[in-house]
Amino acid sequence: MRVAIVGAGAVGRSIAGELLENGHTVMLIEKDGRKVRTRSVPGAEWVQADACEVSSLEEAQLATCDVVVAATGDDKANLVVSLLAKTEFAVNRVVARVKDPRNEWLYTEAWGVDVAVSTPRVLAALVEEAVTVGDVVRLMSFRKGAANLVEITLGDDTPWVGRALREVPLPRETVLTAILRGDRVVTPSPDEPLESGDELLFVSHGDTEEQLQYVFAPEGPGRAEG
């Protein structure tokens, strides 16, 4: 993919480095000339410009990018960049950094944001994931909560342990995307048996999360079917 990252601070440079290692093409756009440090991310294309100006984005050929990451430390700038990327340049996917959690409610489709990343929320989700077994933990939201990436860790008392995935009555609009089992990532298949301690990653509609938790609860449908 060709990815444009707006903001070449520590966050933007770190994202750029990861994407370059994964084989993507990266363009870093930075307004402040003092932060244009080409040797810090040598594999990236560097552009010194104000990304809140349409003319600057036209010169940078933003329309050729598959993804735009608004990663500055200014929420106002991130929202403007997101809106321009989506409405003026039809970028397929816009990911925006939320600097101040109080502004998270603004990061919606109306501002061109597909995925909003708030560090406090991500950290809280990771803490919950580390200590919670049997509860649905929301890791990330997409499109104003219309879809969420959620995780549930199977406990010993889950009635589905030892049974094939095909038997699990998942709620509507819920897709199992991966199973984390120890240090392995298991691709879900209908015949895959579940194990205690499995971390299941779902993309699910926000309205179905309670149903999903009930499915894997000790007193859920699996107990009756077992």
Side-chain angles (χ1 to χ4, degrees), residues 124-206:
L126 291 173
V127 170
E128 287 183 316
E129 185 224 346
V131 301
T132 306
V133 173
D135 288 339
V136 171
V137 177
R138 185 180 297 179
L139 301 176
M140 188 174 292
S141 295
F142 306 93
R143 299 189 180 277
K144 296 173 63 176
N148 301 310
L149 177 65
V150 300
E151 182 268 352
I152 186 166
T153 301
L154 301 186
D156 295 333
D157 54 357
T158 301
W160 299 107
V161 168
R163 297 166 67 177
L165 279 172
R166 68 169 69 251
E167 300 181 46
V168 182
L170 294 179
R172 59 181 178 80
E173 299 184 56
T174 299
V175 178
L176 178 60
T177 59
I179 303 172
L180 306 183
R181 182 174 292 156
D183 59 357
R184 297 172 54 213
V185 178
V186 178
T187 301
S189 67
D191 296 322
E192 182 67 37
L194 294 172
E195 298 181 9
S196 176
D198 280 353
E199 296 180 44
L200 310 183
L201 296 179
F202 296 92
V203 175
S204 174
H205 192 283

Side-chain angles (χ1 to χ4, degrees), residues 13 16-17 20-21 26 28 37-46:
R13 295 196 307 271
L20 287 166
E21 287 184 8
V26 174
L28 275 163
R37 306 169 185 171
T38 56
R39 282 187 283 185
S40 63
V41 191
E45 174 188 349
W46 286 77

Side-chain angles (χ1 to χ4, degrees), residues 52-65:
C52 293
E53 296 287 344
V54 173
S55 58
S56 298
L57 297 179
E58 287 177 341
E59 290 181 13
Q61 298 183 329
L62 199 73
T64 65
C65 294

